[in-house]
Structures are given as C-alpha cells and as structure tokens.
Amino acid sequence: MEKRIGLILTGGGARAAYQVGVLKAIAEFLPRRAHNPFPVICGSSAGALNAATLAVNAQSFRKGVRYLDNIWKNFRAEQVYRTDVVGVFNNAVIWLAGLLLSALGINRLKQISLLDNSPMIDLLDEIMPCEMIQQSIDAGFLYALSINASGYGSGHSVAFYQGVEEIVPWRRARRVGVPTRIENRHLLASAALPFFFPAIRINREYFGDGSIRQVAPISSALHLGATRILLIGVNAEAKADQPRQGAGARAAYQQHGGRDDRGAARTGQTAACRYFVHPAQPAHRKNCRTIHR
C-alpha cells in the first residue's frame, strides 16, 4: 500500500488562523523548495480556505503557507461581510421580510441571512484560482482535495472532492463523498454559518457550514487514500497549563507524518494524531491511535 499523509483542517471561524502557525512550523522543517507533503488535504468551514490554498500552491509548500499567512494577517471584517450602515440596514430589512414571509407559509429563509457575505465572494474570486487545483493533481503534487459541507435538505455531511481518477465515491450513514471540480462556491458553502451567512445552492440542494453534521471528521481522508493523518484542531480542549509533549508541530510531523507510524502501514490501518492549537502555546498532541477503516 502506498503511504499517503492526510492533512485535516477543521473549522473554528477566525481561529483557523492558528492552523497557519502549525503549517509554518512544518514548512520550516521541510527543505526550502519542497512540494506539498500532504497528498490528501481535507478542509471544513474556515479550514476549507486553508485547505484550498495549500492545494492551489501544492508545487511549493512554503509559498502556499506564506500566502495563507499574508491572507490571515490582513483579514478585516469588511472583507468577509458588509459592515457599512447601508449594507447592514438593507440586509436587516430583507431578513425581517423573510421572517414575515416564513410566518405566512412562504419559506425563503434559506436564501437570506443576517449578514451579507458579498465581500467574501469578491475576495475569493480575487485570491483563489481554483482551476489550479487540477494542475496540482495532474503534476502529481496532490492526490485529492476534499471540502466538507452540510446538506440542509438531506441532512448529510457531504465531502466534495477533486482527485485522481482511481478514487471511488462513497456513501455511508449520513455522509457521502461526491466527486466534483472544487470551486469557490464549495468554499463559501463550507463556511456558511447558519443564520449568519446565506446557504449556497450546489446542484439541487442548499449547503452550509461543513462542521455541523461532521460526525466522522477523518472519514474523508481515509476514503481518499490517506494512510497516516495529521489533524489540526482549533477548539478549546488544549489547556494553557497543559504540559508540553514533544516539540510542537515539528515533532508531530516527524513522528506521525514522516517516520513513526506505529506499524500502521504494515497492517493496512491508519495512524491518526490529533493536535489542538492554543493561542498561548505551541501545538500539542492530544490523541494518537490506530484506526481501522
């Protein structure tokens, strides 16, 4: 079995910026001109933006990380949603009208939201050339990219993926894998927080935040062929007073992305490590275990 390292970038809103710190540590460990070390990349919610950026820049991992670093350092609220008085007022009127129509039996809430994310649409059109994802795949720098979104109609967690032809679509209880060409609308759908941002229609269904129904976050990476997994989470489980384990992200990559997989590759299993990022400390290893697909 060919060894492939899968990278999973979870949601967490603006806290997804902490993931860039872990990626920067890994980039410093790798040679300057190294290609993307993660053949399988999966992103959900705000992590979908980070995942897509790495996939677009798979030929040069450092370039992709620098690009991400620049994006997050310069992010402003007005680049995500309209903050001007006119924009906020207009959107509030539309939202209240939607509530009234819904009370009358005309359901239009799926098409409106508290905030107008048109600036985010313009930003993605400017900074995210999704057509380069296929170029990364064709050049062999990327095996697959997956963007997770929650279907409001079906209630399924849907992994929209773009990868090599050998990958077989999957269907499990409440989660499916759908082959497609990743576009900015998939990133918008994955980051569409319910009520705050509008749902995005893809094919025949409206989709929202990819973390809502994601009960098996590493499932997509396994189905896409990953044999070892690095998951970077940004929730509050990492305590500020937690003792350090290893040397942060660099040790993480060395032990579970580079060398020591605890025999998982020999047995056809997957060694998975989960790392949590805390703003006051480097990344810490939380759980490492062998997972049977």
Side-chain angles (χ1 to χ4, degrees), residues 74-273:
N74 294 283
F75 243 152
R76 301 185 303 274
E78 56 266 26
Q79 292 178 301
V80 180
Y81 54 87
R82 290 190 63 175
T83 59
D84 59 288
V85 175
V86 175
V88 173
F89 177 78
N90 289 343
N91 212 62
V93 170
I94 295 174
W95 186 75
L96 290 173
L99 285 177
L100 179 60
L101 291 173
S102 180
L104 296 175
I106 306 174
N107 183 16
R108 296 184 60 83
L109 284 178
K110 61 186 178 183
Q111 300 183 43
I112 64 173
S113 60
L114 282 173
L115 301 175
D116 180 358
N117 69 338
S118 56
M120 186 65 176
I121 297 175
D122 296 336
L123 179 65
L124 287 179
D125 289 340
E126 178 183 349
I127 68 173
M128 193 64 66
C130 288
E131 63 275 5
M132 293 184 64
I133 296 174
Q134 189 59 45
Q135 296 180 22
S136 298
I137 295 172
D138 294 339
F141 302 130
L142 181 69
Y143 192 78
L145 167 69
S146 170
I147 302 298
N148 207 81
S150 300
Y152 288 155
S154 64
H156 290 169
S157 175
V158 180
F160 295 101
Y161 71 86
Q162 183 173 349
V164 299
E165 296 181 356
E166 291 79 8
I167 299 175
V168 179
W170 65 91
R171 178 176 291 274
R172 298 292 186 270
R174 295 292 181 179
R175 49 190 171 92
V176 297
V178 179
T180 188
R181 276 191 174 269
I182 301 297
E183 300 174 355
N184 287 338
R185 58 177 179 159
H186 297 98
L187 307 183
L188 289 169
S190 185
L193 193 64
F195 298 111
F196 289 96
F197 297 117
I200 304 299
R201 184 170 183 173
I202 301 176
N203 300 327
R204 299 180 179 180
E205 188 173 7
Y206 284 89
F207 289 88
D209 196 306
S211 298
I212 297 176
R213 301 185 183 277
Q214 195 175 28
V215 295
I218 69 170
S219 172
S220 299
L222 298 180
H223 284 289
L224 293 174
T227 57
R228 288 170 289 180
I229 293 172
L230 173 64
L231 187 151
I232 306 176
V234 292
N235 59 23
E237 291 192 39
K239 306 288 192 229
D241 57 351
Q242 181 178 352
R244 295 189 178 187
Q245 300 183 30
R250 182 172 301 190
Y253 182 79
Q254 285 180 321
Q255 294 177 7
H256 300 281
R259 302 189 188 121
D260 181 16
D261 60 359
R262 301 187 180 183
R266 295 191 298 272
T267 61
Q269 301 166 343
T270 297
C273 280

Side-chain angles (χ1 to χ4, degrees), residues 22-82:
V22 180
L23 296 173
K24 286 175 67 176
I26 295 174
E28 292 173 2
F29 166 70
L30 295 173
R32 182 172 297 274
R33 299 184 182 276
H35 303 316
N36 167 46
F38 304 105
V40 177
I41 304 176
C42 303
S44 297
S45 194
L49 172 64
N50 295 343
T53 302
L54 293 179
V56 166
N57 296 279
Q59 184 174 358
S60 174
F61 185 68
R62 284 202 175 196
K63 177 183 176 182
V65 173
R66 283 199 306 267
Y67 195 56
L68 269 178
D69 189 34
N70 184 63
I71 290 174
W72 283 103
K73 280 182 177 179
N74 294 283
F75 243 152
R76 301 185 303 274
E78 56 266 26
Q79 292 178 301
V80 180
Y81 54 87
R82 290 190 63 175

